[in-house]
């Protein structure tokens, strides 16, 4: 077997395991943890388009999750429009907002862009917290919106068990990963990487850096808002502090930085590592040491930044390739026999 | 045919006049050298032509079009490429990746871009290093990478900003050969250089600037013996009269 074949094979194996897992794992608690794990992996993959490839550090992506969640929920509750349609409407809205925010801010460098995005997402949160009615739309201020679990079924994006949600977010994650894989190998991917690393050199080579970043921002916002609708339909209750919180924005960045910014596998690895820490520390230390997971994240981030500044995906990929070498050598020797 | 024409170019930075009514003409297929003491305004002139700074006054005409205030990426698409004095490789990426960023200018397809990048690397005898990370290259190879990336954009006019600084004599000779080959392949070259051996050997004409003003222009031999040039470089007492 060649390297390429083994890689494809192991990727397929992981995919199959992910698909049959709910058949084995019956506990709703674990399924819930897994759904949230995929949800964060998906969010970070979306974030990675602009935060990883384009080399900027957006710290306000929760705002786009919020826009997606609120749009589809309001359309569903007030007008009875299926959340599937609301999902697309919310994403288009988030894309427009993202482009409007990106136009002035993407020109900023480093920490200034991060601060601008924090300010923007906090602004959105405070606004929604203080507005009960935005024109005809009921936002319900800080009390949030409750989706009554009536008329369950695929058309309404409402299910009794956790399994359907599991499969929906899994498929969304796979699609997002495939999309970023495709982008990273396209002209836009090359342009984003170049513009993120050395903007002046990129411009001299014909790259309109600002335009490339804006396109990445638009795509990232679109994907992020899709997850917002999913979250609303999954938890059935959204309020500004749960969905547009800085905690969420920061956790996405934590996962990306620890897993490896700008790589395809990084967000998934980061989520695989950090989500269990977060969930189990909440289960076991939630009463005595609330917020312990954030302390652990901080320590892990510091260690990773010191020893593996390009994220954990790099040593892991290296180890995986070494393992592949060993396998490949063994099999070729057997072939000769 | 004139490929680049600079008419009375002025560039002010606040109260400082970095370029003072500079006139330049480059004919198609020529190599024009630009020299001058440190701080004379050579790189500023390059940056104005390459679209990094908009000129304060004057016109820059590139293949018949006035390009004042054009953005660098549009100039590049129209056939004006440049290298940087302080090399700026995409360090975390391979040499091939770096060159492909340039070759994507005229295509959207990855295969086409890759093929063209490999062709450029071959022409620079660089293909054996295509998979090395740009950040791990020696300074000579980084300079060569700058040229390779610029060439991948298929330029008509190539601005080379001190590509030989910091190189060993053998490496300089190799680069002189490469630049001559480029000219033979039809690319017009405008170069800034401090290495006199190289610029004398390469240039068809040389322009000397000092404090942003042109003080001499002509064929290399004439410029080298020009009184004003010797004064600017060495001081008044070195002029043999």
């Amino acid at each position: 077997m060649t390297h390429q074949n083994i890689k494809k094979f192991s990727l397929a194996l992981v995919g199959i395991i992910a698909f049959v897992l709910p058949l084995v794992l019956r506990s709703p608690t674990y399924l819930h943890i897994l759904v949230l794990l995929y949800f964060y992996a998906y969010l970070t993959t979306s974030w990675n388009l602009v935060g990883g490839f384009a080399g900027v550090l957006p710290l306000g992506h929760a705002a786009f999750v919020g826009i997606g969640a609120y749009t589809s929920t309001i359309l569903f509750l007030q007008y009875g429009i299926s959340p599937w349609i609301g999902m697309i409407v919310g994403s288009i809205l988030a894309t427009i907002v993202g482009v409007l925010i990106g136009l002035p801010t993407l020109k900023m460098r480093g920490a200034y862009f991060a601060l601008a995005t924090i300010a923007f997402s906090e602004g959105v949160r405070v606004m929604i917290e203080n507005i009960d009615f935005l024109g005809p739309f009921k936002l319900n201020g800080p009390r949030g919106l409750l989706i009554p679990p009536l008329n369950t079924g695929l058309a309404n994006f409402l299910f009794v068990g956790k399994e359907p949600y599991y499969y929906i977010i899994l498929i969304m994650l796979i699609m997002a990963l495939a999309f970023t894989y495709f982008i990273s190998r396209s002209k836009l991917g090359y342009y984003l990487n170049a513009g993120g690393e050395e903007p002046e050199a990129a411009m001299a080579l014909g790259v309109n850096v600002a335009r490339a970043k804006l396109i990445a921002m638009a795509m990232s916002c679109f994907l992020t808002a899709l997850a917002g609708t999913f979250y609303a339909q999954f938890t059935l209750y959204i309020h500004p502090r749960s969905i547009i919180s800085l905690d969420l924005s920061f956790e996405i960045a934590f996962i990306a930085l620890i897993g490896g910014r700008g790589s395809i596998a990084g967000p998934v690895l980061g989520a695989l590592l950090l989500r269990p820490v977060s969930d189990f520390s909440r289960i076991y230390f939630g009463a005595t040491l609330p917020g312990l997971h954030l302390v652990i994240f901080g320590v892990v981030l510091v260690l990773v930044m010191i020893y593996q500044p390009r994220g954990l995906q790099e040593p892991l990929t290296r180890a995986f390739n070494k393992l592949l070498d060993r396998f490949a050598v063994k099999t070729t020797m057997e072939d000769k026999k | 045919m004139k490929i680049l024409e600079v008419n009375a170019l002025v560039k002010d930075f606040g109260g400082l006049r970095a370029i003072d009514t500079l006139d330049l003409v480059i004919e198609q297929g020529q190599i024009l050298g630009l020299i001058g003491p440190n701080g004379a305004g050579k790189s500023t002139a390059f940056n104005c032509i390459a679209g990094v700074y908009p000129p304060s006054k004057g016109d820059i005409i590139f293949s018949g079009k006035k390009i004042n205030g054009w953005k660098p990426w549009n100039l590049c698409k129209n056939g004006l490429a440049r290298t940087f004095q302080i090399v700026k490789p995409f360090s975390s990426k391979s040499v091939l990746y770096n060159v492909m960023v340039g070759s994507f200018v005229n295509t959207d397809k990855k295969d086409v871009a890759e093929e063209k990048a490999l062709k450029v690397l071959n022409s620079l005898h660089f293909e054996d290093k295509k998979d090395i990370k740009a950040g791990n290259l020696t300074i000579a190879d980084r300079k060569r990478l700058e040229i390779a990336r610029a060439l991948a954009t298929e330029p008509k006019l190539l601005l080379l900003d001190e590509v030989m600084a910091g190189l060993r004599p053998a490496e300089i000779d190799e680069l002189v050969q490469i630049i001559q080959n480029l000219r033979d392949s039809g690319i017009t070259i405008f170069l800034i250089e401090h290495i006199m051996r190289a610029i004398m050997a390469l240039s068809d004409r040389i322009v000397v600037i000092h404090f942003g003003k042109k003080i001499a222009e002509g064929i290399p031999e004439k410029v080298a013996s020009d009184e004003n040039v010797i004064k600017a470089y060495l001081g008044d007492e070195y002029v043999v009269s």
Side-chain angles (χ1 to χ4, degrees):
Chain A
M1 264 199 280
T2 62
H3 285 208
Q4 219 57 37
N5 281 340
I6 300 179
K7 270 185 191 166
K8 273 181 198 158
F9 180 71
S10 37
L11 206 62
L13 196 70
V14 171
I16 291 166
I17 291 174
F19 270 96
V20 297
L21 209 53
L23 304 176
V24 188
L25 205 69
R26 309 296 307 184
S27 153
T29 313
Y30 286 121
L31 267 188
H32 189 93
I33 289 174
L34 276 176
V35 168
L36 283 183
L37 195 158
Y38 294 162
F39 170 71
Y40 275 92
Y42 173 88
L43 278 182
T44 312
T45 303
S46 317
W47 181 92
N48 200 26
L49 275 172
V50 55
F53 296 156
V56 291
L57 191 69
L59 290 176
H61 260 48
F64 304 112
V65 181
I67 290 171
Y70 267 92
T71 309
S72 68
T73 306
I74 288 167
L75 289 177
F76 184 47
L77 292 181
Q78 285 183 257
Y79 304 98
I81 296 169
S82 163
W84 292 108
I85 297 167
M87 203 174 191
I88 304 297
V89 177
S91 281
I92 291 168
L93 193 64
T95 309
I96 294 167
V97 174
V99 168
L100 289 178
I101 298 303
L103 271 174
T105 57
L106 280 169
K107 292 192 181 98
M108 301 179 190
R109 286 220 179 171
Y112 301 100
F113 175 76
L115 286 173
T117 50
I118 290 178
F120 157 72
S121 96
E122 280 297 88
V124 171
R125 180 180 63 78
V126 171
M127 260 173 60
I128 296 182
E129 269 184 346
N130 288 293
I131 297 172
D132 278 344
F133 282 93
L134 184 69
F137 306 118
K138 189 183 176 196
L139 296 177
N140 216 16
R143 293 173 300 283
L145 297 169
L146 198 68
I147 302 172
L150 306 167
N151 302 322
T152 55
L154 187 63
N156 285 340
F157 205 143
L158 280 170
F159 307 98
V160 181
K162 303 230 185 246
E163 286 86 356
Y165 292 110
Y166 178 94
Y167 285 114
I168 289 171
I169 193 70
L170 179 61
I171 290 165
M172 281 169 72
L173 174 62
I174 290 170
M175 281 163 62
L177 286 171
F179 184 68
T180 43
Y181 178 84
F182 166 74
I183 290 291
S184 75
R185 267 149 189 76
S186 71
K187 180 174 179 174
L188 182 64
Y190 278 74
Y191 274 20
L192 285 172
N193 266 315
E197 206 161 324
E198 281 289 350
E200 273 179 67
M203 283 190 252
L205 293 172
V207 182
N208 186 341
V209 176
R211 190 165 147 262
K213 282 184 179 172
L214 203 62
I215 294 170
M217 179 84 171
M219 295 191 301
S220 174
C221 292
F222 187 91
L223 291 177
T224 304
L226 293 179
T229 303
F230 173 83
Y231 188 81
Q233 298 302 120
F234 180 59
T235 59
L236 299 178
Y237 175 50
I238 53 168
H239 63 108
R241 278 200 182 273
S242 77
I243 203 158
I244 315 183
S245 67
L246 278 182
D247 288 0
L248 178 60
S249 298
F250 287 167
E251 197 164 343
I252 296 171
F254 271 139
I255 291 173
L257 289 170
I258 291 169
R261 269 168 98 183
S263 68
I264 314 282
V268 182
L269 281 174
L272 271 173
L273 267 147
L274 292 188
R275 283 309 301 170
V277 172
S278 160
D279 287 317
F280 287 108
S281 74
R282 258 179 230 166
I283 292 172
Y284 295 114
F285 301 104
T288 48
L289 287 167
L292 178 69
H293 69 286
L294 287 175
V295 178
I296 298 174
F297 283 7
V299 173
V300 174
L301 184 65
V302 170
L303 290 175
V304 169
M305 286 297 112
I306 292 174
Y307 296 105
Q308 289 296 340
R310 304 184 52 75
L312 289 175
Q313 54 84 23
E314 205 174 57
L316 287 172
T317 324
R318 221 181 298 139
F320 181 66
N321 281 335
K322 260 188 194 162
L323 208 69
L324 275 187
D325 282 341
R326 211 172 270 177
F327 259 106
V329 168
K330 259 187 197 167
T331 45
T332 45
M333 273 157 80
E334 273 163 20
D335 288 345
K336 274 176 194 167
K337 277 178 195 170
Chain B
M1 199 188 100
K2 291 173 197 162
I3 188 157
L4 185 79
E5 207 181 335
V6 175
N7 293 329
L9 178 71
V10 174
K11 180 65 194 171
D12 294 324
F13 292 112
L16 177 81
R17 182 150 289 190
I19 305 280
D20 196 355
T21 48
L22 180 69
D23 294 306
L24 279 177
V25 171
I26 308 181
E27 299 288 333
Q28 177 107 41
Q30 255 194 349
I31 297 183
L32 179 71
L34 180 65
I35 62 172
N38 288 330
K42 302 183 296 293
S43 284
T44 307
F46 256 37
N47 281 331
C48 285
I49 295 167
V52 178
Y53 307 135
S56 305
K57 269 183 220 149
D59 288 333
I60 304 169
I61 294 151
F62 172 59
S63 50
K65 276 176 266 181
K66 189 174 159 183
I67 56 162
N68 290 25
W70 279 37
K71 295 292 179 197
W73 53 87
N74 288 330
L75 287 171
C76 178
K77 282 175 195 162
N78 278 277
L80 193 156
R82 68 163 308 176
T83 67
F84 288 90
Q85 182 180 4
I86 299 155
V87 291
K88 297 175 190 292
F90 309 124
S91 310
S92 71
K93 300 295 177 200
S94 70
V95 166
L96 180 63
Y97 194 109
N98 271 263
V99 180
M100 278 175 70
V101 172
S103 60
F104 264 122
V105 161
N106 295 320
T107 175
D108 289 336
K109 292 199 183 71
K110 193 184 162 224
D111 303 346
V112 181
E114 189 168 341
E115 200 177 306
K116 204 190 321 168
L118 284 172
K119 214 180 278 174
V120 170
L121 287 174
N122 269 323
S123 72
L124 295 178
H125 311 297
F126 209 16
E127 69 277 10
D128 50 330
K129 292 189 174 138
K130 71 181 167 67
D131 295 321
I132 296 180
K133 252 189 204 176
N136 297 339
L137 292 174
T138 62
I139 184 68
D141 282 340
R142 283 179 203 215
K143 298 259 177 184
R144 202 191 305 208
L145 178 60
E146 283 277 323
I147 298 177
R149 286 197 309 201
L151 282 180
T153 68
E154 297 181 336
K156 286 182 263 178
L157 173 65
L158 181 60
L159 309 184
L160 299 174
D161 195 350
E162 292 206 30
V163 282
M164 292 177 207
L167 302 192
R168 283 181 277 126
E171 291 164 344
I172 290 170
D173 290 340
E174 201 186 335
L175 214 47
V176 167
Q177 190 57 51
I178 286 172
I179 293 170
Q180 265 158 359
N181 290 347
L182 291 180
R183 190 252 301 266
D184 293 342
S185 72
I187 300 171
T188 311
I189 289 164
F190 184 18
L191 86 161
I192 295 180
E193 200 53 69
H194 272 307
I195 316 265
M196 282 305 146
R197 195 159 62 90
I199 203 146
M200 290 296 164
L202 280 172
S203 306
D204 296 311
R205 279 187 317 124
I206 292 179
V207 169
V208 191
I209 61 173
H210 189 37
F211 293 124
K213 278 192 180 124
K214 183 156 78 179
I215 57 168
E217 183 176 3
I219 57 168
E221 295 74 29
K222 190 185 138 214
V223 165
S225 56
D226 189 284
E227 196 174 308
N228 285 327
V229 177
I230 296 167
K231 265 190 206 166
Y233 268 92
L234 301 172
D236 289 341
E237 60 266 38
Y238 284 89
V239 179
V240 189
S241 48

